[in-house]
């Protein structure tokens, strides 16, 4: 049975509102916000009250959603739940309610995450499940190291991996596509994501990513390449019309179907399921390595054998890189395809 995570959510009623007020969470939020106000004095007055109201509302809705789900789960005694997309807070609340009601939660790696599973928020995803199934033996190694480095000594789940390596068979099929002999057409794979903001890097947000994608398309077009922009599905309605003004073509299809239209693929970020998939194709790839990206060192060394790397950094609200380095990386990418990352 496939369940929507919001299946049992209803408009909050007075019962949950009163329980929330007496739960101790209001005091917890107030204590936290007092610390924030002391450390960030620029937030004061009306802005601070808006922040307080918003955070209280998030906790109130989360509390209501949790107990609404628990109320349903208690009635039919849940057993096993398979879940993916653990980066989604709604999914984690649903999982927490399932476990609270006595069920077991098994998390499954989202997409081709092996390229970016080493991150300092991994404990948030794993804290919601009893068992996490990574995508491969190497991915399990990466996840386990991330847990060791970033779990803050919090208890985490068991970690395993699927015994059947689907990547090798997928690699075999993708290699049947006619190879590239000369780079004429370049696809910039969109990095503009909804509600993207990361506290570790204040320049890594929706508008800086949009600006960066536009700059890449303009620079590559200036260098004489035919440019293709492939928006992310979840922001296509926002970005399609924008890139029609800059790129020679903007494609709407699934990346798995349309990547063959390009001779080279350019990524400004590895944090995409598309990146992990396209590593297995025979297309040359250029990847931006923005200062501050977290890498598992062994995995990054293998990725550098598969992709040409363009070093970048963030400053003044945007991502900064050398235009000549981008063009050079594209030119050299055809001779930088090694599949050791598969093994």
């Amino acid at each position: 049975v496939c369940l929507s995570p919001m299946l049992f959510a209803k408009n909050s009623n007075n019962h949950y509102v009163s329980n929330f007020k007496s739960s101790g969470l209001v005091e917890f939020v107030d204590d936290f916000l007092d610390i924030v106000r002391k450390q960030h004095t620029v937030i004061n007055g009306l802005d601070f009250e808006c922040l307080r109201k918003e955070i209280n509302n998030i906790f109130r809705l989360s509390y209501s959603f949790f107990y609404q789900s628990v109320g349903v789960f208690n009635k039919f005694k849940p057993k096993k739940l398979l879940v993916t997309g653990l980066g989604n807070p709604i999914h984690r609340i649903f999982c927490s309610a399932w476990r609270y009601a006595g069920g077991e939660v098994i998390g499954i790696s989202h997409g081709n995450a092996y390229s970016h599973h080493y991150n300092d928020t991994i404990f948030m995803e794993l804290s919601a499940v009893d068992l996490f199934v990574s995508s491969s033996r190497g991915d399990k190694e990466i996840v386990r190291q991330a847990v060791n480095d970033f779990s803050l000594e919090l208890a985490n789940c068991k970690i395993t991996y699927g015994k059947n390596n689907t990547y090798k068979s997928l690699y075999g099929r993708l290699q049947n596509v006619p190879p590239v002999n000369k780079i004429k057409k370049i696809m910039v794979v969109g990095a503009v994501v909804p509600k993207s903001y990361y506290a570790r890097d204040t320049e890594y947000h929706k508008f800086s990513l949009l600006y960066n994608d536009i700059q890449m398309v303009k620079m590559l077009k200036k260098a004489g390449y035919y440019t293709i922009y492939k928006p992310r599905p979840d922001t296509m309605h926002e970005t399609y019309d924008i890139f029609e003004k800059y790129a020679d073509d903007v494609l709407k299809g699934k990346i798995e179907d349309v990547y063959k239209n390009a001779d080279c693929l350019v990524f400004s970020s590895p944090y995409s399921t598309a990146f992990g998939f396209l590593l297995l194709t025979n297309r040359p790839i250029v990847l931006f390595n923005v200062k501050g990206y977290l890498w598992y060192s062994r995995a990054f060394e293998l990725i550098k054998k598969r992709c040409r790397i363009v070093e970048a950094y963030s400053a003044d609200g945007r991502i900064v890189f050398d235009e000549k380095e981008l063009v050079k990386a594209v030119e050299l990418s055809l001779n930088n395809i090694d599949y050791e990352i598969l093994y």
Side-chain angles (χ1 to χ4, degrees):
V1 179
C2 182
L3 299 176
S4 165
M6 295 296 290
L7 180 62
F8 308 117
K10 300 178 181 179
N11 291 333
S12 184
N13 57 40
N14 292 332
H15 170 71
Y16 292 113
V17 171
S18 60
N19 284 356
F20 172 70
K21 289 179 179 179
S22 61
S23 67
L25 285 174
V26 175
E27 291 78 8
F28 172 81
V29 172
D30 287 342
D31 290 343
F32 168 74
L33 288 173
D34 285 341
I35 295 172
V36 171
R37 179 156 49 183
K38 290 174 183 177
Q39 293 188 357
H40 302 279
T41 54
V42 68
I43 307 175
N44 54 44
L46 181 60
D47 289 339
F48 186 81
E49 288 308 313
C50 288
L51 177 64
R52 181 191 298 277
K53 182 178 179 181
E54 182 67 18
I55 293 180
N56 262 303
N57 191 48
I58 290 171
F59 270 85
R60 180 181 59 80
L61 292 174
S62 299
Y63 179 91
S64 297
F65 174 45
F66 175 82
Y67 276 106
Q68 286 169 358
S69 300
V70 167
V72 175
F73 298 154
N74 278 335
K75 294 178 181 178
F76 68 86
K77 304 302 179 185
K79 293 183 179 180
K80 287 188 178 181
L81 173 70
L82 302 181
V83 63
T84 188
L86 290 166
N88 187 322
I90 297 296
H91 291 189
R92 293 201 299 273
I93 295 173
F94 190 90
C95 292
S96 298
W98 188 280
R99 294 176 71 190
Y100 189 81
E104 179 186 6
V105 177
I106 300 174
I108 303 172
S109 179
H110 173 58
N112 309 295
Y114 62 86
S115 58
H116 54 83
H117 246 153
Y118 184 77
N119 65 77
D120 55 6
T121 60
I122 190 73
F123 68 91
M124 290 196 303
E125 299 182 23
L126 301 190
S127 65
V129 302
D130 299 287
L131 173 68
F132 182 76
V133 183
S134 56
S135 57
S136 66
R137 183 174 59 186
D139 187 32
K140 176 186 174 182
E141 176 185 331
I142 294 173
V143 173
R144 191 175 294 283
Q145 189 61 52
V147 169
N148 291 339
D149 292 347
F150 304 119
S151 67
L152 304 176
E153 299 184 355
L154 297 173
N156 272 293
C157 65
K158 296 179 181 178
I159 303 168
T160 187
Y161 64 95
K163 299 304 183 286
N164 295 324
N165 191 326
T166 59
Y167 290 117
K168 288 185 180 180
S169 59
L170 177 60
Y171 164 77
R173 294 198 301 273
L174 294 174
Q175 293 302 307
N176 291 326
V177 176
V180 173
N181 296 315
K182 186 176 181 180
I183 297 176
K184 297 179 181 179
K185 298 180 179 181
I186 299 178
M187 178 182 292
V188 173
V189 182
V192 183
V193 296
K195 301 178 181 178
S196 57
Y197 176 80
Y198 298 87
R200 76 172 72 97
D201 189 342
T202 54
E203 276 83 20
Y204 193 78
H205 55 79
K206 196 170 188 175
F207 293 109
S208 69
L209 295 173
L210 174 63
Y211 177 81
N212 192 55
D213 283 358
I214 291 173
Q215 292 303 107
M216 285 192 293
V217 169
K218 291 169 67 175
M219 290 173 184
L220 292 170
K221 197 169 186 176
K222 176 184 170 184
Y225 294 104
Y226 183 89
T227 56
I228 303 169
Y229 187 74
K230 175 62 184 75
R232 286 176 57 97
D234 46 5
T235 52
M236 186 175 298
H237 63 290
E238 298 177 282
T239 57
Y240 186 90
D241 291 342
I242 294 173
F243 282 92
E244 275 195 316
K245 302 173 184 177
Y246 297 102
D248 294 299
D249 196 6
V250 183
L251 300 181
K252 289 184 175 181
K254 293 174 62 177
I255 189 72
E256 294 86 349
D257 298 328
V258 303
Y259 80 89
K260 291 172 282 190
N261 291 289
D263 304 317
C264 178
L265 309 166
V266 179
F267 283 85
S268 64
S269 166
Y271 305 127
S272 161
T273 57
F275 179 67
F277 169 82
L278 292 168
L279 285 176
L280 307 179
T281 71
N282 57 15
R283 289 304 190 260
I285 297 176
V286 173
L287 172 66
F288 277 57
N289 180 35
V290 181
K291 185 177 180 180
Y293 283 176
L294 290 173
W295 288 104
Y296 183 57
S297 58
R298 179 167 169 262
F300 189 46
E301 290 305 312
L302 295 175
I303 284 175
K304 286 193 288 186
K305 292 182 178 182
R306 174 64 180 91
C307 310
R308 290 298 300 188
I309 303 297
V310 175
E311 297 295 340
Y313 62 94
S314 56
D316 302 323
R318 61 194 180 94
I319 297 170
V320 181
F321 62 94
D322 189 323
E323 178 178 349
K324 293 180 181 178
E325 289 300 313
L326 171 60
V327 175
K328 182 180 178 181
V330 170
E331 293 171 351
L332 297 176
S333 63
L334 196 55
N335 299 316
N336 200 113
I337 303 177
D338 182 287
Y339 295 103
E340 190 179 343
I341 193 169
L342 265 177
Y343 306 95

